[in-house]
Amino acid sequence: MLLEDPDPEGSPYRTQDPKSEYTYYLNVCGKISEGGCAGDTVSACQQKMSSTLSKSAGSYQNQTLRLVLSDISCKLVVNQTPLPHIHGHQVCTRVRYRSSDDGRFAANLGYSDGDITLTYPGGEICSSGFQRMTVINFICNETAGDRHRWSLESCLCDSSPATKQRRCSDRDRCLDCCSVAKCDVNAGKGVPEFESEADCTYFFSWQTKYACLKKKEDMCYVESKKKQYNLFNLIRTSESSNPQNWEAVNLNPSDKSCFYINVCHDVLQTGDASVCEDDAAVCAVGPDSKKNLGKFLTPPKFVNEHIVLEYTDGSTCAGKSHIRTSITLICSPGNHESPPILKSFEDCYYAFEWNTAAACVVSRTEGDDCTVADPQAGFYFDLSPLTNKTGTYKIVTDMYSFYINVCGNVTQQLCEPNSGACQVDKASNDHWNLGVSNSKLSYYDGMIQLHYTNGTAYNDEKKTPRSSLITFLCDRSVDIGQPEYQLHVSCRGCVTVTTYCTWRALSVVTVTQPRHMQLWCRTADYRECSRYPGTCCSCSKEDNNTYNFKWYTKYACPALPVACIVVDKENDEQYDLSSLSKVQGELSSNWFAMDQTQETHKKYYINVCRSLVPLKGCDPFAAVCQMGYEKVSGKLHETVAISNLGVASKEPVIEDSGKILIEYTNGSKCIDEENKEVFYSSQLHLTCEKGAVFTSPRFISNNNCVATFLWNTEAACPVIKNIHGKEDCLIENPNTGFTYNFESLKNESGYMAQGNGKKYKLNICGPVSGCGQIGDSPAAGCEIDNQLVSRPVKLSQSLDLASEGTITLTYSGTKDEQTGAGDSFTINFVCNDDLYPGRLLFNREEINSETHLYHTFFDFETAMACSPAPVDCQVTG
């Protein structure tokens, strides 16, 4: 956001000193066209009012110079060279630019404790011998306006309606107070005001919305092809439910560093990350070192169907360069637990990959039975606990009583039996149906709504039916909660014309809405407005014939996933249990364990690091739920016995190498052995067993309000560090013992892919025809642009296996003699049972701005990348 020309005509801003001796003409980061000062670089001009004598009070070097007051940072750009960025409200060193080689001066931008100062040096010499200079101090004011630019039309707000109104132009910001029309053509830019003068230095203050620094988190939003993506759920702050940084999985066995990451925010100064620099968004902490791997200075981008976060301006590297980091976020529906993974790194560049539901498109969904789900985001909401089966929720205002139920009818005697919401006049007992009840919830970007329609008709020409809209908002401290009636009065500030608003105790008064529609409002409406200082008008309480209610409750909150990665620093081991987390989907179901120790069997549904995939009757926040069995018509049916045996709120704990404990607490109420009221809890003991991919938890006991389970699983084994295979196109997964063999994928004619307007050709584990030589050896791949071959890459048959089980093959180009680096092709093998030998797909291309090297990534779909799938033999009947 730039504060540049004062108006479309390019005339400067004007202000006078208190004695009206001088008029000052100012511009921001640009020359002025008025005031009588000669020169192409004059940005401040002093003109004596009695003689029109003009003197330059400061110059702006006429090059690329911008004062940027953006949502993320402030920066001054001189000759396209960015100065250090400024964040939040920290005190930063003032940056000065002195005269250049040709004697010209550049402007100077300073920042300290929220104030931004712009200095114009290089004015004309005054009689005292000092050189004139101008200093402008910018102050944040979101509602700044030009007090000299109000157009007022007199009228009274008593018994007569307005007789005349002026229409503001489209670019003006229109405001109304009673029937007084005002057009703020300044729209928040504000105007300079003269403060003082000392030794021919002129000081001005300037209140403007462009000096207000917004939170950097507000830029954590991406829009592409009319689709929206929201990364807010990945941001970690001190107020978050889990105020811990994300910790990335490090697959490099030779690197002992821990990598701490935050999204659209600086890393939190907690734990081992307390040594990180204040403004680092990603930080590496080693045994004897720490590195700033980049700051959050630019918003995320959408690149090749993925969201990419670029963190730049990290620690110094390779001489004068700075480390930068790229995080590629890949949509993984329902996945809130998986951590980022370090995929590659060089001296000045780190690349992470992150599979997460936050990278999925924000979608609008609807549900029935008082439930709604967003499968992409992995959210599920059940508002059925809010349904009042024996009564009705009541809201009382000055004139009316409102009766509401959630997904059910109200039971108030005066209301129609099918009403979901009802309005009753307290004086006359007149009543209106505000919408027929239903149980269809809607969800969009964190907002849950219930809409009741087809209520009692208004007495307008169209006989418009009344309706109600209930918006449910998350508040984890509130249980069921209580609805609140939202007053849609329009209380407009009167600024300098409050004397025009003379209210009288009339039964009905006429007021004007911002769009110049006249509405009839009761005096009670005005009383609602009078609660707000400096306001003097009101309008209809209904918004488009809809009564609006808001409702704070914990049931509108998404279940909180728990970090499913745990680090054993003593043994240098990492554990990632996120593969055990079940998310809602068409084929998704919870884990379960059977208790057959008693004659009456019990069944326990279990999830890992998050609440259960929704089950009828189970608490929506429960991670463990107990079922019993009862006979209905001679058949056994599951019934909920204990709806909540614990909520996922604690991170896993390492008991020993290859042994992990997950504990769920704060379940349903229970009476323990000492006859005290406590809450159910559950303990899952996971033990590493290589090759145990599809095992299930086993029930051990349920004693003294604690359920205990044992689980032998490969997921409890330490994360595999990157395994680099031999030159044989084979690689073995040490956990499963399965060997992948890609020898049969060799094809000398090669596989083709297209991307970025170019064609690519490569072979798997063998040379390819048509790509020439690289050194003395035939190339394994190349880039083809307009039938010209370029960037040949050298053959390699060494496969790489990452911790999450992905297999890659990397071909490198000619290496630079000084850096030892070169272009690369990286092939990621993707399991597809229906494809053999396979299909090559272009994924993305990254260009290193420091080395100008190209790194191209491909996906190769093939049945040869699929591992044998063992079958879980556990069944119930």
Side-chain angles (χ1 to χ4, degrees):
M1 300 172 69
L2 302 179
L3 182 59
E4 293 176 336
D5 293 336
D7 59 39
E9 287 73 31
S11 60
Y13 297 90
R14 304 181 195 184
T15 189
Q16 295 177 358
D17 62 4
K19 296 181 180 179
S20 298
E21 292 181 337
Y22 296 96
T23 297
Y24 295 88
Y25 297 83
L26 302 171
N27 202 354
V28 178
C29 302
K31 65 181 181 179
I32 58 175
S33 57
E34 296 180 23
C37 291
D40 292 335
T41 63
V42 176
S43 289
C45 180
Q46 180 194 48
Q47 185 181 73
K48 194 166 186 176
M49 298 181 67
S50 60
S51 64
T52 67
L53 179 66
S54 299
K55 298 290 185 181
S56 169
S59 294
Y60 152 69
Q61 187 174 346
N62 192 18
Q63 297 178 358
T64 305
L65 174 66
R66 292 185 299 163
L67 175 62
V68 181
L69 307 172
S70 71
D71 288 352
I72 304 174
S73 60
C74 295
K75 65 179 179 179
L76 183 67
V77 182
V78 179
N79 293 331
Q80 298 179 349
T81 303
L83 296 178
H85 286 64
I86 301 166
H87 302 290
H89 295 284
Q90 58 192 355
V91 178
C92 302
T93 303
R94 174 164 292 189
V95 182
R96 294 190 180 276
Y97 277 77
R98 304 192 183 280
S99 59
S100 56
D101 294 338
D102 59 4
R104 293 185 294 175
F105 288 87
N108 159 28
L109 176 69
Y111 179 91
S112 176
D113 267 353
D115 287 346
I116 302 164
T117 303
L118 182 62
T119 303
Y120 290 137
E124 294 184 49
I125 302 295
C126 62
S127 59
S128 62
F130 290 99
Q131 192 175 34
R132 286 178 171 85
M133 183 167 67
T134 295
V135 178
I136 306 172
N137 183 36
F138 293 95
I139 303 167
C140 169
N141 185 346
E142 292 281 3
T143 59
D146 185 347
R147 62 186 178 187
H148 304 295
R149 299 194 181 194
W150 292 98
S151 175
L152 305 179
E153 297 181 39
S154 60
C155 67
L156 291 177
C157 295
D158 48 19
S159 58
S160 60
T163 57
K164 183 180 179 183
Q165 292 177 352
R166 183 176 71 82
R167 181 180 177 84
C168 299
S169 63
D170 290 340
R171 68 171 178 265
D172 295 342
R173 179 164 59 100
C174 295
L175 301 174
D176 291 280
C177 177
C178 301
S179 47
V180 180
K182 307 181 295 295
C183 298
D184 180 7
V185 299
N186 190 259
K189 287 183 180 179
V191 290
E193 295 186 9
F194 182 90
E195 291 291 337
S196 62
E197 179 269 337
D199 297 329
C200 296
T201 297
Y202 308 99
F203 296 91
F204 300 86
S205 64
W206 195 328
Q207 296 188 39
T208 173
K209 70 178 182 181
Y210 294 96
C212 299
L213 296 178
K214 295 183 179 179
K215 293 181 180 179
K216 295 190 293 182
E217 304 93 274
D218 293 343
M219 294 296 290
C220 214
Y221 195 80
V222 185
E223 187 168 335
S224 176
K225 299 177 181 177
K226 298 183 178 180
K227 294 181 179 180
Q228 297 172 338
Y229 303 83
N230 187 341
L231 302 182
F232 295 157
N233 289 326
L234 297 180
I235 299 174
R236 295 287 175 85
T237 68
S238 57
E239 291 80 27
S240 299
S241 56
N242 184 10
Q244 299 291 327
N245 298 296
W246 293 96
E247 185 168 353
V249 174
N250 181 9
L251 303 178
N252 181 14
S254 62
D255 188 351
K256 306 300 182 183
S257 298
C258 293
F259 294 87
Y260 300 102
I261 294 175
N262 209 342
V263 174
C264 304
H265 195 284
D266 304 333
V267 293
L268 304 180
Q269 306 287 304
T270 59
D272 291 342
S274 60
V275 299
C276 296
E277 294 182 15
D278 291 344
D279 55 358
V282 55
C283 173
V285 179
D288 303 307
S289 64
K290 62 180 177 67
K291 288 182 182 178
N292 180 346
L293 302 188
K295 306 170 186 176
F296 174 54
L297 303 177
T298 56
K301 299 177 292 185
F302 200 74
V303 181
N304 295 325
E305 303 304 317
H306 299 309
I307 299 173
V308 177
L309 262 175
E310 291 280 353
Y311 293 154
T312 55
D313 199 25
S315 300
T316 304
C317 63
K320 296 182 179 179
S321 299
H322 290 271
I323 297 176
R324 68 183 183 92
T325 293
S326 175
I327 305 175
T328 302
L329 297 104
I330 301 170
C331 171
S332 178
N335 186 354
H336 294 276
E337 298 82 17
S338 292
I341 297 172
L342 177 64
K343 300 297 287 187
S344 63
F345 65 94
E346 302 170 3
D347 287 343
C348 296
Y349 177 71
Y350 288 75
F352 293 85
E353 194 172 276
W354 199 343
N355 291 279
T356 171
C360 300
V361 64
V362 175
S363 57
R364 187 183 300 276
T365 60
E366 293 185 352
D368 290 315
D369 299 325
C370 219
T371 64
V372 66
D374 184 350
Q376 287 272 42
F379 294 142
Y380 173 83
F381 303 94
D382 183 357
L383 300 187
S384 59
L386 305 185
T387 304
N388 194 330
K389 297 178 180 178
T390 59
T392 302
Y393 299 95
K394 183 179 180 180
I395 307 167
V396 179
T397 65
D398 288 346
M399 300 177 62
Y400 303 105
S401 294
F402 293 91
Y403 299 90
I404 296 179
N405 208 346
V406 177
C407 303
N409 300 329
V410 298
T411 58
Q412 214 283 334
Q413 189 173 4
L414 291 173
C415 299
E416 295 182 17
N418 65 347
S419 300
C422 173
Q423 179 185 22
V424 177
D425 190 306
K426 294 165 66 175
S428 65
N429 275 345
D430 290 341
H431 56 277
W432 300 269
N433 183 346
L434 303 186
V436 177
S437 67
N438 65 76
S439 59
K440 295 182 178 180
L441 300 179
S442 65
Y443 174 82
Y444 178 73
D445 200 12
M447 185 177 292
I448 309 167
Q449 293 185 321
L450 177 61
H451 198 187
Y452 293 150
T453 58
N454 295 321
T456 306
Y458 284 96
N459 290 322
D460 57 5
E461 293 181 2
K462 297 182 179 179
K463 299 299 180 183
T464 308
R466 287 172 169 82
S467 63
S468 298
L469 183 66
I470 309 172
T471 300
F472 298 93
L473 302 170
C474 170
D475 188 336
R476 298 185 188 279
S477 65
V478 177
D479 189 22
I480 295 295
Q482 174 73 19
E484 301 173 31
Y485 179 44
Q486 288 187 278
L487 294 168
H488 275 264
V489 291
S490 179
C491 304
R492 315 300 280 180
C494 297
V495 196
T496 59
V497 291
T498 51
T499 55
Y500 286 107
C501 299
T502 305
W503 285 89
R504 297 180 180 176
L506 304 173
S507 59
V508 178
V509 294
T510 302
V511 296
T512 306
Q513 210 179 14
R515 292 197 179 100
H516 307 299
M517 296 169 55
Q518 291 188 355
L519 300 169
W520 293 92
C521 298
R522 297 174 185 264
T523 51
D525 298 337
Y526 168 67
R527 287 200 298 272
E528 296 291 349
C529 240
S530 64
R531 296 179 182 180
Y532 305 95
T535 61
C536 62
C537 63
S538 65
C539 61
S540 173
K541 292 181 181 179
E542 294 104 60
D543 180 19
N544 294 326
N545 304 315
T546 299
Y547 290 76
N548 289 272
F549 302 87
K550 62 181 179 181
W551 196 319
Y552 288 96
T553 173
K554 71 177 184 180
Y555 292 98
C557 301
L560 289 174
V562 177
C564 234
I565 184 172
V566 59
V567 179
D568 183 353
K569 291 188 169 72
E570 291 186 7
N571 297 316
D572 189 29
E573 293 176 336
Q574 288 180 309
Y575 298 84
D576 183 5
L577 304 177
S578 58
S579 62
L580 299 180
S581 292
K582 297 283 192 175
V583 298
Q584 187 180 18
E586 189 175 345
L587 301 176
S588 183
S589 59
N590 298 292
W591 301 100
F592 68 87
M594 295 299 301
D595 173 13
Q596 299 176 333
T597 59
Q598 303 177 26
E599 183 177 346
T600 304
H601 293 175
K602 302 291 183 183
K603 184 176 183 178
Y604 293 84
Y605 285 105
I606 302 170
N607 208 348
V608 176
C609 296
R610 63 180 302 147
S611 56
L612 294 165
V613 174
L615 286 170
K616 194 74 172 178
C618 292
D619 190 302
F621 300 104
V624 180
C625 178
Q626 186 195 78
M627 295 288 189
Y629 292 91
E630 66 177 20
K631 276 191 176 182
V632 178
S633 301
K635 295 182 179 180
L636 284 176
H637 291 268
E638 289 183 0
T639 58
V640 175
I642 304 173
S643 65
N644 189 346
L645 279 90
V647 176
S649 59
K650 298 180 180 180
E651 296 183 0
V653 176
I654 298 174
E655 295 184 301
D656 200 349
S657 180
K659 293 184 178 181
I660 310 294
L661 169 65
I662 298 178
E663 187 172 15
Y664 300 141
T665 57
N666 294 320
S668 302
K669 291 181 180 179
C670 177
I671 304 300
D672 67 7
E673 293 174 348
E674 298 178 359
N675 205 32
K676 293 180 180 178
E677 186 180 271
V678 295
F679 297 95
Y680 275 107
S681 63
S682 297
Q683 293 183 344
L684 276 71
H685 297 270
L686 297 94
T687 303
C688 169
E689 182 177 323
K690 293 185 177 181
V693 180
F694 287 94
T695 57
S696 297
R698 288 186 291 126
F699 173 82
I700 300 299
S701 64
N702 187 355
N703 295 322
N704 202 24
C705 302
V706 179
T708 305
F709 306 87
L710 180 63
W711 198 344
N712 296 325
T713 171
E714 183 187 297
C717 299
V719 168
I720 309 169
K721 300 293 185 179
N722 266 357
I723 298 175
H724 189 62
K726 300 178 181 178
E727 286 284 342
D728 55 7
C729 212
L730 305 172
I731 198 160
E732 180 184 353
N733 185 325
N735 282 346
T736 64
F738 182 75
T739 298
Y740 298 89
N741 186 344
F742 293 157
E743 276 282 332
S744 62
L745 302 181
K746 290 181 180 178
N747 181 354
E748 189 174 348
S749 298
Y751 301 91
M752 298 292 296
Q754 289 185 332
N756 285 352
K758 296 175 285 190
K759 295 181 179 180
Y760 302 87
K761 187 177 185 181
L762 57 83
N763 195 2
I764 303 297
C765 294
V768 65
S769 61
C771 282
Q773 302 275 122
I774 179 168
D776 298 329
S777 306
C782 63
E783 179 183 300
I784 303 173
D785 191 4
N786 291 328
Q787 298 184 343
L788 295 177
V789 173
S790 62
R791 296 180 56 214
V793 289
K794 188 177 180 180
L795 172 64
S796 171
Q797 296 191 76
S798 296
L799 301 174
D800 291 293
L801 177 67
S803 65
E804 71 275 22
T806 58
I807 303 171
T808 55
L809 175 63
T810 301
Y811 296 148
S812 299
T814 303
K815 298 187 181 298
D816 183 83
E817 293 182 0
Q818 293 183 345
T819 64
D823 295 337
S824 67
F825 282 8
T826 300
I827 307 151
N828 176 48
F829 293 92
V830 179
C831 169
N832 188 330
D833 285 315
D834 299 325
L835 283 178
Y836 180 82
R839 176 174 59 197
L840 183 69
L841 300 171
F842 174 84
N843 185 303
R844 68 185 189 278
E845 189 167 73
E846 298 175 357
I847 304 173
N848 190 315
S849 59
E850 302 288 341
T851 61
H852 302 290
L853 296 176
Y854 288 72
H855 302 289
T856 311
F857 296 85
F858 304 90
D859 290 327
F860 192 89
E861 296 182 349
T862 174
M864 300 303 294
C866 299
S867 55
V871 178
D872 184 4
C873 288
Q874 184 180 17
V875 295
T876 58

